[in-house]
Amino acid sequence: MLAPEGKRILIILSLSTFILGIVGNYYNNQILIIFYFISGILLIFSCNFFRDPIRKCSSDESLILSPADGKIIRIDKVDDDKVGKNASRISIFLNVFNVHVNRVPFKAKVRDVVYKSGNFLAAYNHKASDENERTNILFSTKYFNYRVMQIAGLIARRIHCYAEVDKEMKKGDRLGFIMFGSRTDIIFPSSIKIKAKIGEKVKGGETIIGKKL
């Protein structure tokens, strides 16, 4: 299954690969044949990048799932005016080979969505959480508030966010998509037991990263 966010890019690359292949081989034009191979490689890469696998989410209402695929590069404590003091923050780095679909980690209602323009530091740089282009989504459950932050990386230039204020979202729902290398942070209260560790590779909507006590 392919993500709809890549439809335009995939169509363009498919057409260009087809045309370059036909014309280049018909006229035996080496330059066009070289571009045909380059376009084909980009098409294969894009098909891999825009994949959108079906994930089976745990039905256990106490579990918090990872909002993204990638590698956990930071677990620390922060004070948040809506989530609480000494809240836990988990940062997930997505390289260009990871699935880039973001998913809702815990059933909740969207309370606020704030987009902020910014820099394009490498996503593994912890300064990216505060300085890069990002979308900050505040969720409210009957138990607690939590945040998910979609953060653009070094080459990412487009954040797709499907959260809307007052929208009820279920665990595992598609939350958005970040183009080409990025970072996703989640902040939840100190009452949540962390079930993840730095360096762990996680899958969005599937890997357990926290548990409500």
Side-chain angles (χ1 to χ4, degrees), residues 94-106:
L94 295 74
N95 66 43
V96 293
F97 299 107
N98 289 128
V99 172
H100 271 58
V101 176
N102 291 145
R103 302 180 189 276
V104 177
F106 194 87

Side-chain angles (χ1 to χ4, degrees), residues 138-165:
L138 175 65
F139 289 95
S140 176
T141 78
K142 58 183 178 181
Y143 309 107
F144 56 85
N145 293 339
Y146 72 91
R147 293 186 188 275
V148 173
M149 297 177 65
Q150 299 173 289
I151 304 164
L154 182 63
I155 60 175
R157 290 296 185 273
R158 183 69 186 275
I159 297 175
H160 299 269
C161 179
Y162 305 127
E164 299 174 358
V165 175

Side-chain angles (χ1 to χ4, degrees), residues 7-194:
K7 183 178 180 181
R8 182 180 177 184
I9 292 174
L10 292 173
I11 289 175
I12 292 172
L13 285 174
S14 296
L15 289 174
S16 64
T17 301
F18 176 77
I19 293 171
L20 287 168
I22 293 295
V23 176
N25 283 285
Y26 182 80
Y27 291 104
N28 196 27
N29 187 305
Q30 294 302 310
I31 293 178
L32 290 180
I33 291 175
I34 290 172
F35 278 108
Y36 159 69
F37 280 108
I38 293 174
S39 182
I41 291 171
L42 290 174
L43 176 59
I44 293 171
F45 168 80
S46 295
C47 286
N48 180 70
F49 179 83
F50 288 108
R51 67 194 188 279
D52 186 6
I54 296 173
R55 295 281 165 80
K56 294 183 179 179
C57 300
S58 171
S59 59
D60 189 333
E61 293 186 0
S62 69
L63 299 179
I64 297 174
L65 305 181
S66 174
D69 286 40
K71 181 179 179 180
I72 295 178
I73 58 173
R74 177 175 67 181
I75 300 176
D76 65 356
K77 296 291 186 179
V78 296
D79 291 335
D80 187 282
D81 61 341
K82 298 296 183 181
V83 179
K85 291 185 177 182
N86 207 34
S88 299
R89 174 173 58 183
I90 296 178
S91 298
I92 303 167
F93 171 66
L94 295 74
N95 66 43
V96 293
F97 299 107
N98 289 128
V99 172
H100 271 58
V101 176
N102 291 145
R103 302 180 189 276
V104 177
F106 194 87
K107 181 181 178 181
K109 177 181 280 190
V110 179
R111 290 300 183 189
D112 196 19
V113 180
V114 178
Y115 168 80
K116 204 166 188 178
S117 60
N119 297 324
F120 293 94
L121 301 174
Y124 55 77
N125 186 333
H126 294 322
K127 290 182 179 179
S129 293
D130 300 317
E131 298 182 16
N132 277 18
E133 176 186 354
R134 59 198 179 277
T135 300
N136 190 327
I137 308 149
L138 175 65
F139 289 95
S140 176
T141 78
K142 58 183 178 181
Y143 309 107
F144 56 85
N145 293 339
Y146 72 91
R147 293 186 188 275
V148 173
M149 297 177 65
Q150 299 173 289
I151 304 164
L154 182 63
I155 60 175
R157 290 296 185 273
R158 183 69 186 275
I159 297 175
H160 299 269
C161 179
Y162 305 127
E164 299 174 358
V165 175
D166 292 332
K167 182 178 181 179
E168 295 276 0
M169 303 191 78
K170 296 181 294 183
K171 185 189 297 185
D173 281 353
R174 286 177 109 257
L175 178 59
F177 195 98
I178 315 175
M179 305 291 278
F180 302 114
S182 53
R183 178 188 185 109
T184 302
D185 286 3
I186 178 171
I187 301 174
F188 45 74
S190 57
S191 59
I192 300 299
K193 182 178 181 180
I194 295 177

